[in-house]
Amino acid sequence: MRSATLSRRMNRIKASAIREILKVTERPDILSFAGGLPAPEAFPIAELARAHAETFDREGAAALQYSTTEGFAPLRAWIAERMRKRGLAATPEQVLITTGSQQGIDLVAKVLLDPGDVVVVESPSYLAALQVFEGYEAGFATVGSDEHGMRVDQLERVLRRSKPKLVYLVPTFQNPKGTTLALERREQLARLAAEHGVPVLEDDPYGELRFSGAELPPVAALERRAPIIYLSTFSKTLAPGLRIGWAVGAAETVRALTVAKQAADLHTSSIAQRAVARMLESFDYPAHVSRIRALYGERRDAMLDALAREFPVGATWTRPEGGLFLWVCLPGGVDAAQLLPQALREHVAFVPGAPFFARAPDRSCLRLNFSNQPPELIAEGIRRLAAALARIRQADVAAEPVARSVLPQTA
Ligand SMILES: Cc1ncc(COP(=O)(O)O)c(C=O)c1O
């Protein structure tokens, strides 16, 4: 079949570097810290299977019929209640069910951005959100980050200079760094959003997964006058294959998102929504989330211990209090993309940091996922990674040409 001529827009959308890397790292012989995969042993498979069977049994016709764009009412009510417990007061009508929070990002961009509009993002930021904003032909203004998240003290200047249409951030256990926005910065961000009337997209897929430190309120809970849209998902607490996320915002904003969603996919899978709502009637969700927290906390500790043991002086890394990732910066000017082929020879993988930057990438950093491997394999993988790093730091090996076959296309 002849290929179709693509839109100009498609020139701007780069294939996700992570997806390309995952094609290599999904090889069974590779010990991968590359993907953002939750631990599959934490999926409540039996409970979901039972809930799906009951859904087919008792409400099969309704579950298989077209349904409303807003989402299944009992599920929206459950989410509104859960959000209230997490500090964000919202009515069920303010909750829109989305096909994963990734769709939430897309819908928000669709309703807020015109070509040429500026989006403020953290540096580095979640790669697939950058991809969405590029698709809507937005430009970027970046704000740096440190161990306490976005440098909100730099934001006011950027707001004045760039007049952005949107500020996008992952305040809690950020992807890729694992860092969390400090309370004072949350308050300052909410205040700035209210004063400047600039919408903030608070993307929070990881907020439930805290294993140390004190809980913090969502930014959206801090300032009622600020136009904040909040996103979350069941991807990291139940299972990503369900593709159920949600957006919470002011009634009018949720209405616009609903119209945009109608055009995108009519509605999120009715079967999945009804089965999850049914399961949640009797499932001890808080206990389940506690188990995931304990599991990931142990894995984070295993990775921090292994890094301290194996990595050379001068390497630095973040110490996340939750989530799935940590961020390592290498000493001596080593480019993480150059380390990857050497690591693959050691049968270990990660994602180089450069693609996470909207501009001016720091090439010395890389993202490591700790949720998807047990502690003993984490220790082994970090040992292999340190060996690859030691090898690449010897000048002769660094200069050696790398076989194209082991290089991901976009790394
Ligand atoms: C920051 C961030 N936002 C959104 C998503 C998308 O999640 P979902 O599976 O809910 O679409 C991810 C997934 O890894 C993520 O890390």
Side-chain angles (χ1 to χ4, degrees):
M1 221 179 273
R2 185 174 159 186
S3 65
T5 307
L6 302 180
S7 66
R8 272 181 295 116
R9 189 182 316 114
M10 279 312 291
N11 291 331
R12 304 172 57 104
I13 310 179
K14 296 184 217 87
S16 159
I18 294 187
R19 295 269 162 265
E20 297 299 323
I21 289 168
L22 287 179
K23 284 183 198 161
V24 180
T25 60
E26 274 169 5
R27 284 188 348 223
D29 57 318
I30 301 275
L31 215 166
S32 181
F33 302 131
L37 304 183
E41 57 271 38
F43 297 161
I45 297 174
E47 292 85 347
L48 280 168
R50 203 173 317 118
H52 276 83
E54 281 178 20
T55 303
F56 274 112
D57 217 31
R58 299 186 195 167
E59 45 183 335
L64 290 168
Q65 189 54 278
Y66 283 119
S67 68
T68 57
T69 305
E70 289 83 349
F72 186 50
L75 185 62
R76 296 167 76 201
W78 188 94
I79 289 167
E81 177 59 18
R82 182 80 188 161
M83 293 312 315
R84 199 185 55 72
K85 288 201 178 107
R86 298 196 53 223
L88 181 57
T91 63
E93 292 68 39
Q94 286 177 278
V95 175
L96 169 68
I97 302 293
T98 58
T99 302
S101 48
Q102 188 65 32
Q103 184 184 51
I105 302 171
D106 189 80
L107 297 177
V108 169
K110 195 175 184 177
V111 304
L112 295 186
L113 301 178
D114 292 309
D117 281 345
V118 171
V119 180
V120 175
V121 295
E122 297 166 278
S123 206
S125 191
Y126 171 50
L127 183 57
L130 300 180
Q131 224 180 359
V132 170
F133 301 138
E134 275 163 357
Y136 287 99
E137 304 180 48
F140 292 111
T142 56
V143 174
S145 61
D146 59 21
E147 69 273 28
H148 302 296
M150 179 189 261
R151 290 282 308 272
V152 179
D153 58 324
Q154 296 176 357
L155 182 61
E156 183 154 24
R157 192 166 33 87
V158 175
L159 295 181
R160 289 190 192 289
R161 199 183 50 211
S162 306
K163 304 267 179 291
K165 274 293 198 53
L166 180 66
V167 176
Y168 168 80
L169 82 168
V170 182
T172 310
F173 320 133
Q174 198 236 20
N175 182 358
K177 287 178 78 176
T179 45
T180 292
L181 192 68
L183 181 60
E184 317 78 70
R185 293 189 188 186
R186 285 172 190 246
E187 288 166 348
Q188 199 183 353
L189 171 61
R191 201 173 52 243
L192 283 173
E195 281 169 14
H196 291 257
V198 62
V200 171
L201 179 53
E202 177 175 19
D203 186 11
D204 187 29
Y206 306 111
E208 294 258 20
L209 302 181
R210 175 178 285 282
F211 22 84
S212 56
E215 291 287 340
L216 288 170
V219 180
L222 294 175
E223 172 61 85
R224 295 196 70 78
R225 294 171 306 140
I228 300 176
I229 305 166
Y230 174 94
L231 302 178
S232 193
T233 178
F234 285 125
S235 286
K236 316 295 172 175
T237 52
L238 294 180
L242 291 165
R243 308 307 304 133
I244 299 180
W246 58 91
V248 180
E252 228 167 280
T253 310
V254 170
R255 246 192 315 277
L257 294 172
T258 307
V259 172
K261 182 173 166 66
Q262 252 159 27
D265 66 353
L266 302 182
H267 61 78
T268 295
S269 161
S270 313
I271 296 174
Q273 290 186 67
R274 283 174 183 261
V276 166
R278 180 173 285 279
M279 182 181 102
L280 291 170
E281 281 171 14
S282 55
F283 185 64
D284 191 345
Y285 185 79
H288 172 73
V289 170
S290 294
R291 280 194 295 277
I292 300 177
R293 290 175 172 189
L295 185 71
Y296 290 4
E298 196 178 89
R299 292 175 179 196
R300 183 245 358 225
D301 290 346
M303 193 167 269
L304 289 177
D305 290 350
L307 285 168
R309 209 168 41 240
E310 308 284 355
F311 264 48
V313 173
T316 59
W317 50 86
T318 57
R319 294 167 182 283
E321 295 189 327
L324 269 61
F325 305 108
L326 59 78
W327 182 249
V328 177
C329 294
L330 304 171
V334 175
D335 182 334
Q338 231 190 340
L339 174 62
L340 182 61
Q342 193 67 41
L344 290 172
R345 286 193 192 108
E346 298 279 344
H347 298 267
V348 62
F350 61 87
V351 182
F356 295 97
F357 292 84
R359 52 167 68 144
D362 179 345
R363 299 186 181 283
S364 71
C365 302
L366 55 103
R367 189 190 75 175
L368 294 177
N369 165 271
F370 51 77
S371 59
N372 192 239
Q373 302 284 353
E376 56 289 1
L377 290 184
I378 288 175
E380 171 59 20
I382 296 298
R383 194 193 59 69
R384 291 185 199 174
L385 198 52
L389 179 60
R391 206 152 300 141
I392 208 161
R393 292 180 82 196
Q394 297 163 3
D396 54 339
V397 177
E400 184 187 294
V402 167
R404 294 296 308 169
S405 61
V406 296
L407 259 183
Q409 295 154 26
T410 52

